[in-house]
Amino acid sequence: MAIAVRGSRSGGSGGVGAGIRSFFSYRIFISAIFSLLFIVTVSVLFSSRPPTTHHHSSLPSGANVYVHRTFLALNSDPLRTRLDLIYKQANDHITLVKAYAAYAMRLKLEISRQLKMFDDLAKNFSDLNSKPSYKSSLFETNGNVDEDVLGQFEKEVKDRVKFARSLVAESKENYDNQLKIQKLKDTIFSVSELLGKAKKNGALASSIAAKSIPKSLHCLAMRLVEERVAHPEKYKEELPKAEFEDTSLYHYAVFSDNVIAVSVVVRSVVNNAEEPWKHVFHVVTDRMNVAAMKVWFRMRPVEGGAHLEVKAVEDYSILDSSYVPVLRRIESAKMQRFSPEKTMENATKDGSNLKLKNPVSTSMLNHLRFYLPEMYPKLHKILLLDDDVVVQKDLTGLWKIDLAGKVNGAVETCFGSFHRFSQYLNFSHPLIKERFNPKGCAWAFGMNIFDLDAWRREKCTEMYHEWQNLNEDQTLWLLDTLPAGLITFYSLTKSLDKSWHVLGLGYNPSISMDEINNAAVIHYNGNMKPWLDIAMNQYKNLWTKYVDNDMEFVQMCNFGV
């Protein structure tokens, strides 16, 4: 038993000692392992650390990144971080300055001083890095940064930054305003372009509307012709009256293919005449409308005992192409309709050929005014009225005006530099330049009192033919009646008081009503004729009050007046 006890004691104490020795041996082993790992790691880090540079361009990857960055932070120069920040600030302001310089060039500002300052400032920022003292001490060294040099560099950068900010602040508002102005100019230019196109389109549409025959007018002419066909016995030709050649009466010439317009002219004259029975109207129209015109005045005889004859252009045998140069040209222009290619080719070359397409210019009715002495050989004086006029007063005073040997009595239309001869004739042509004064005052066709005896004496028709032959190629003036009239009656026109004839009711909305009310004759010259839908409303009632609304065909054709 004693052996057992001893053996258990000695065995117990030996086990404890062995355990303690085993524990300490294990700790020493673990410590040795960690120490070895630490030494290996440190040796690896120090052996693989690259030389310190300004840009630190290569960094390791993998498990050693964090440790590597830690050692970089411990071993880097803190002044180099400050240098990087200063360098970045300088570059940012270089970019800002260049942006404002580009802005100034884009806006085309007349502030060369500021533009030069921006350019110099950007250059100074860039040149600052190239200074030898900074270049060698700050940017091309691998060692530590000199704090004094860095401070000097920082001061210069801050001075330039301060100046750049003040310059930008000073210019910003101006540039913003200039940019807004430039955008506004661009907008105005764009709107102006659109306005120009709209005006051209409007003028074209207005011209088309003016030259087209309204449905109501076409309806009226057809109804009148239908009436003649249905009742031929009521509309037999009448013999000429002695009054048509009576020189003691007041004679009017009205040339038109518009039935209702002629009726308004005649009614307005008669209604305002003190002695309507002394007034004689010579109406000339084309072959297509002569029947309608005759039926109208047979159905609605002129009031007050006034006298009226209706004839066609073809009734005057003297007016043929062998005698009338313009008629030859008109026939030639009509022939162009059978050659569309040639017409379009000429129209694209210049705008002059567009004039030939104007029905007014290519109608002989518009040129009859130059043949009044031949058409009415026994008359001494005659008053020419356009079909777009309205008479508001008695006109007999016109026959009493002494024209002092002149042929034409008309109202002048010039004011300032407007409506001078230079606007109607080609003064680059030597014939025009030698014979006429470019500052000569133009006058109006539409209400003209003509002394036919003086006309015959001065041989005005022969003069008209001479100039028309010279203008065969339209180099002196375009095909129109006013330039031809200015030439034919040059120095043979007496100026009348402007109250006799007020123009512009077909295009000018600004004519004063006092001027209109005081006028003896108002003229709807222009595209906005009173019988069209495009007529100006403020003037239309002055014309519509003379429309014969009791005439059944006027009501049937819905004139809307």
Side-chain angles (χ1 to χ4, degrees):
M1 290 294 295
I3 294 172
V5 171
R6 238 184 350 260
S8 63
R9 284 180 182 174
S10 60
S13 62
V16 172
I20 293 174
R21 284 193 303 270
S22 175
F23 173 74
F24 279 106
S25 297
Y26 179 75
R27 290 190 62 184
I28 291 170
F29 177 75
I30 292 300
S31 298
I33 291 298
F34 272 103
S35 298
L36 181 60
L37 284 175
F38 179 77
I39 292 170
V40 170
T41 301
V42 170
S43 63
V44 169
L45 288 177
F46 277 98
S47 62
S48 62
R49 184 170 64 90
T52 302
T53 64
H54 174 65
H55 298 288
H56 306 295
S57 56
S58 59
L59 290 175
S61 58
N64 293 329
V65 170
Y66 177 76
V67 178
H68 182 70
R69 288 179 179 173
T70 303
F71 277 91
L72 282 179
L74 292 174
N75 288 277
S76 64
D77 186 354
L79 295 179
R80 196 163 294 281
T81 304
R82 181 175 159 194
L83 174 62
D84 288 343
L85 293 175
I86 297 170
Y87 186 78
K88 184 178 182 305
Q89 187 179 28
N91 282 334
D92 290 344
H93 281 79
I94 289 174
T95 304
L96 180 64
V97 166
K98 286 182 177 179
Y100 270 84
Y103 234 12
M105 294 179 66
R106 177 186 172 191
L107 296 174
K108 299 179 181 178
L109 299 177
E110 296 180 0
I111 47 173
S112 57
R113 183 184 66 84
Q114 284 191 355
L115 187 57
K116 186 175 184 305
M117 289 173 67
F118 276 128
D119 288 337
D120 290 345
L121 191 57
K123 185 178 180 182
N124 289 342
F125 267 122
S126 301
D127 291 347
L128 193 61
N129 301 334
S130 303
K131 278 187 176 183
S133 58
Y134 296 147
K135 190 174 182 181
S136 61
S137 302
L138 300 178
F139 302 106
E140 294 183 353
T141 179
N142 294 328
N144 293 335
V145 174
D146 188 331
E147 188 171 1
D148 293 336
V149 177
L150 179 61
Q152 182 63 30
F153 177 71
E154 182 177 19
K155 182 178 182 302
E156 290 196 40
V157 169
K158 287 185 175 179
D159 289 342
R160 284 165 172 72
V161 166
K162 183 178 180 181
F163 181 71
R165 288 178 176 175
S166 64
L167 185 58
V168 167
E170 177 185 342
S171 305
K172 187 176 187 306
E173 184 177 356
N174 183 35
Y175 284 7
D176 289 346
N177 290 338
Q178 290 294 334
L179 185 60
K180 291 175 184 176
I181 291 171
Q182 187 63 41
K183 287 183 178 179
L184 184 59
K185 285 181 179 179
D186 293 342
T187 303
I188 292 173
F189 178 78
S190 177
V191 171
S192 179
E193 290 269 305
L194 294 175
L195 180 60
K197 291 180 181 178
K199 283 183 177 180
K200 288 180 181 179
N201 292 337
L204 178 61
S206 178
S207 178
I208 292 172
K211 294 168 187 145
S212 302
I213 300 176
K215 182 179 179 180
S216 54
L217 191 59
H218 179 73
C219 167
L220 179 61
M222 293 299 100
R223 293 283 183 180
L224 291 168
V225 172
E226 182 183 21
E227 171 67 15
R228 182 185 178 102
V229 172
H231 307 285
E233 70 284 353
K234 293 171 58 177
Y235 303 103
K236 294 180 179 180
E237 294 294 329
E238 294 181 338
L239 296 175
K241 296 181 181 179
E243 289 82 2
F244 295 160
E245 296 180 345
D246 188 346
T247 57
S248 66
L249 302 179
Y250 305 107
H251 292 264
Y252 299 82
V254 184
F255 307 139
S256 173
D257 58 0
N258 188 325
V259 177
I260 199 162
V262 172
S263 72
V264 167
V265 173
V266 173
R267 289 192 82 196
S268 65
V269 171
V270 171
N271 289 0
N272 291 286
E274 296 178 0
E275 298 173 311
W277 59 89
K278 290 186 178 181
H279 295 261
V280 182
F281 297 91
H282 303 273
V283 178
V284 182
T285 187
D286 54 27
R287 183 182 297 170
M288 185 180 295
N289 291 281
V290 66
M293 200 79 74
K294 287 181 176 179
V295 171
W296 174 281
F297 287 107
R298 193 72 65 83
M299 294 180 68
R300 311 297 294 179
V302 183
E303 301 171 353
H307 312 280
L308 183 142
E309 69 167 344
V310 177
K311 285 190 174 184
V313 176
E314 291 75 16
D315 293 334
Y316 297 92
S317 58
I318 191 176
L319 300 178
D320 59 21
S321 58
S322 63
Y323 179 65
V324 182
V326 171
L327 191 56
R328 291 196 299 270
R329 196 175 305 162
I330 290 173
E331 290 177 354
S332 175
K334 289 180 179 178
M335 289 299 294
Q336 289 187 6
R337 298 176 185 175
F338 299 97
S339 178
E341 295 83 2
K342 184 176 180 181
T343 302
M344 289 304 297
E345 179 184 356
N346 292 337
T348 54
K349 286 181 180 178
D350 54 60
S352 62
N353 289 289
L354 297 178
K355 197 72 177 178
L356 291 173
K357 299 178 183 180
N358 188 332
V360 175
S361 299
T362 57
S363 171
M364 187 58 196
L365 290 173
N366 203 41
H367 298 272
L368 290 179
R369 60 195 66 192
F370 294 104
Y371 298 96
L372 290 170
E374 289 82 4
M375 296 172 69
Y376 310 105
K378 294 186 178 181
L379 299 182
H380 302 302
K381 282 188 176 182
I382 195 168
L383 180 64
L384 174 70
L385 292 177
D386 279 355
D387 63 356
D388 54 354
V389 305
V390 170
V391 176
Q392 301 185 126
K393 295 182 181 179
D394 184 79
L395 298 180
T396 55
L398 288 168
W399 278 263
K400 300 173 185 177
I401 294 176
D402 182 9
L403 296 180
K406 309 243 174 176
V407 177
N408 174 31
V411 170
E412 292 183 338
T413 57
C414 59
F415 58 95
S417 61
F418 297 98
H419 298 292
R420 301 285 178 176
F421 271 50
S422 59
Q423 293 179 271
Y424 301 98
L425 305 177
N426 179 17
F427 275 87
S428 64
H429 197 288
L431 281 176
I432 299 295
K433 188 175 182 179
E434 291 171 5
R435 306 277 188 93
F436 304 100
N437 179 7
K439 295 182 180 179
C441 188
W443 40 265
F445 267 133
M447 189 220 70
N448 305 81
I449 183 73
F450 287 107
D451 185 336
L452 300 182
D453 292 333
W455 187 315
R456 298 181 185 102
R457 184 182 66 250
E458 297 290 343
K459 298 182 179 181
C460 292
T461 302
E462 289 82 350
M463 187 185 306
Y464 170 71
H465 283 173
E466 179 183 349
W467 281 104
Q468 285 289 356
N469 289 328
L470 291 171
N471 192 42
E472 187 70 28
D473 56 358
Q474 295 190 67
T475 57
L476 306 182
W477 71 88
L478 297 180
L479 182 61
D480 202 355
T481 55
L482 182 55
L486 296 177
I487 283 181
T488 302
F489 303 114
Y490 184 65
S491 74
L492 296 175
T493 299
K494 180 179 177 62
S495 177
L496 303 180
D497 187 276
K498 292 186 182 295
S499 64
W500 281 110
H501 186 192
V502 170
L503 298 99
L505 278 75
Y507 69 90
N508 184 2
S510 304
I511 306 172
S512 71
M513 290 309 299
D514 289 339
E515 187 179 1
I516 291 173
N517 293 331
N518 292 329
V521 175
I522 55 175
H523 194 170
Y524 291 83
N525 59 312
N527 287 334
M528 299 179 183
K529 302 300 184 188
W531 54 83
L532 299 175
D533 291 336
I534 60 174
M536 286 183 278
N537 292 329
Q538 66 266 41
Y539 306 139
K540 192 168 184 177
N541 67 305
L542 301 172
W543 182 85
T544 56
K545 70 180 180 180
Y546 291 107
V547 175
D548 190 353
N549 291 302
D550 295 331
M551 207 280 186
E552 57 181 305
F553 294 152
V554 171
Q555 299 175 6
M556 292 172 64
C557 291
N558 298 319
F559 263 87
V561 296

